[in-house]
Amino acid sequence: MNDVKIIVFDLDGTLYDDVVHFRYYADLLKDYVAEDKQEQFEADYNAVLKGQHSLKIGRAYDAKRDLILSHLNGVVQKAYNWNGEEIPTEDVTTFYPEAIPFDLTSIISIGDLWWVPVTIARHYGVTSEEAYACFMQTREHMMTEEFQLNPHEQFREVLQSLHKKYTLVLLTNSPQSDSDVIIEKLGFTSYFQEKFFEAQKPIKTKVRFSNIAEKFDVSYEEILSIGDNYINEIFPAVELGCKTIYIDAHGAGAGDSHTTTVSNLTELSKVLREKLL
Ligand SMILES: [Mg+2]
């Protein structure tokens, strides 16, 4: 990590690790599910959280075929129907001859907890537009006074020290209005030299990193990407040659051998202190 100059942080699940808003999001999505399917929605959601469902963080969802895909950096290895039964290998090869293109609507990377309730809702007939409306409503809720957000204390201290030594950049898929409020609530506003919103990761991750490298006149080797979503923030950065730290809160596993993996913000704080301060 000696040559790192720029540190690019994701926001949700990276600068804070609270999870209460996912329940709020799941409830909004559930309202769009037909009444007779809402109980199944709830049962699936709880099963996923307990690790008792074929839908898992790190997998992907093919909304058109209603299949859950286990993959390595987009190369599909196995496919399961909603009940968890594996479909025949010949079908996997026919359906997915090449690495799958994650597009946020028809092939969804379930890279973090945001995508779990969405995927279940999609399975029960909710459209991607309706899901996006629920997402925006959740973000609005996160801006309100009643939504409390406290920074992880060790992480706050590390971030405060890091910003004096490195250029810190925020790169998030979330909109600016609510992200700014969240960062303000955390007390991190003054730490970031540059913030990029609605980044459309993973589709545009590489373009964003290329813009960052150009803007700050650094090479990819001098950029460290930190995030909790492997497909969005880590894999594209590894391919470019950036340094990476993956917050793997759900044990999904990194798909490469270069990435430093931690399981929570306590571990992340420790690694950052040891390697960068
Ligand atoms: Mg995240």
Side-chain angles (χ1 to χ4, degrees):
M1 301 266 178
N2 290 340
D3 44 356
V4 168
K5 288 186 178 149
I6 309 271
I7 309 177
V8 180
F9 286 90
D10 166 53
L11 172 59
D12 306 290
T14 300
L15 296 185
Y16 69 91
D17 55 7
D18 298 42
V19 291
V20 285
H21 52 285
F22 293 119
R23 182 65 255 181
Y24 185 92
Y25 188 29
D27 285 336
L28 290 177
L29 287 160
K30 192 165 76 173
D31 274 346
Y32 280 95
V33 172
E35 223 162 296
D36 61 332
K37 298 272 193 284
Q38 291 187 355
E39 215 169 294
Q40 283 166 269
F41 173 97
E42 196 58 32
D44 282 334
Y45 187 57
N46 289 322
V48 175
L49 296 185
K50 285 184 198 151
Q52 296 165 349
H53 198 286
S54 51
L55 180 65
K56 293 182 198 306
I57 296 203
R59 290 188 173 173
Y61 178 63
D62 180 341
K64 278 188 204 141
R65 295 194 176 95
D66 192 31
L67 291 174
I68 295 160
L69 315 173
S70 79
H71 66 92
L72 188 64
N73 303 332
V75 179
V76 178
Q77 295 167 316
K78 286 176 180 175
Y80 306 87
N81 65 22
W82 197 258
N83 298 324
E85 291 142 5
E86 206 179 316
I87 68 156
T89 315
E90 345 30 304
D91 289 346
V92 175
T93 321
T94 312
F95 294 163
Y96 313 105
E98 290 165 12
I100 43 175
F102 299 110
D103 62 6
L104 307 166
T105 53
S106 59
I107 303 265
I108 299 169
S109 162
I110 307 156
D112 56 44
L113 276 173
W114 286 103
W115 294 99
V116 171
V118 178
T119 304
I120 301 170
R122 294 291 305 278
H123 169 73
Y124 289 114
V126 176
T127 67
S128 73
E129 290 78 14
E130 289 166 336
Y132 190 69
C134 296
F135 171 72
M136 292 304 283
Q137 207 178 323
T138 305
R139 302 301 297 188
E140 268 174 47
H141 165 68
M142 293 173 80
M143 292 168 72
T144 61
E145 294 266 334
E146 67 184 283
F147 181 75
Q148 305 245 333
L149 204 52
N150 298 309
H152 182 286
E153 194 45 36
Q154 282 161 274
F155 180 66
R156 190 194 61 75
E157 285 168 20
V158 169
L159 205 62
Q160 192 177 23
S161 306
L162 284 174
H163 101 280
K164 294 174 187 157
K165 212 174 155 189
Y166 303 90
T167 300
L168 307 189
V169 174
L170 179 86
L171 183 67
T172 176
N173 276 354
S174 291
Q176 175 162 12
S177 51
D178 53 72
S179 300
D180 273 340
V181 173
I182 289 170
I183 294 163
E184 186 70 42
K185 282 186 186 195
L186 291 166
F188 295 168
T189 306
S190 62
Y191 299 159
F192 291 93
Q193 193 157 326
E194 194 77 54
K195 302 189 202 102
F196 298 95
F197 307 94
E198 299 183 63
Q200 288 181 276
K201 298 179 282 185
I203 304 164
K204 295 200 172 160
T205 305
K206 283 186 176 170
V207 177
R208 306 297 178 206
F209 274 81
S210 149
N211 294 343
I212 291 168
E214 207 173 307
K215 173 152 195 175
F216 293 98
D217 193 25
V218 294
S219 67
Y220 290 125
E221 293 76 28
E222 293 168 322
I223 300 177
L224 166 62
S225 173
I226 304 178
D228 70 318
N229 186 318
Y230 186 79
I231 291 296
N232 284 6
E233 289 117 28
I234 307 301
F235 184 56
V238 168
E239 286 198 310
L240 290 175
C242 303
K243 312 280 194 298
T244 44
I245 302 179
Y246 173 36
I247 306 164
D248 184 13
H250 308 281
D256 73 278
S257 56
H258 304 285
T259 295
T260 302
T261 302
V262 297
S263 48
N264 51 47
L265 291 191
T266 305
E267 269 183 48
L268 175 65
S269 309
K270 196 164 167 267
V271 167
L272 289 172
R273 194 174 284 289
E274 282 169 8
K275 298 199 175 187
L276 291 160
L277 290 170

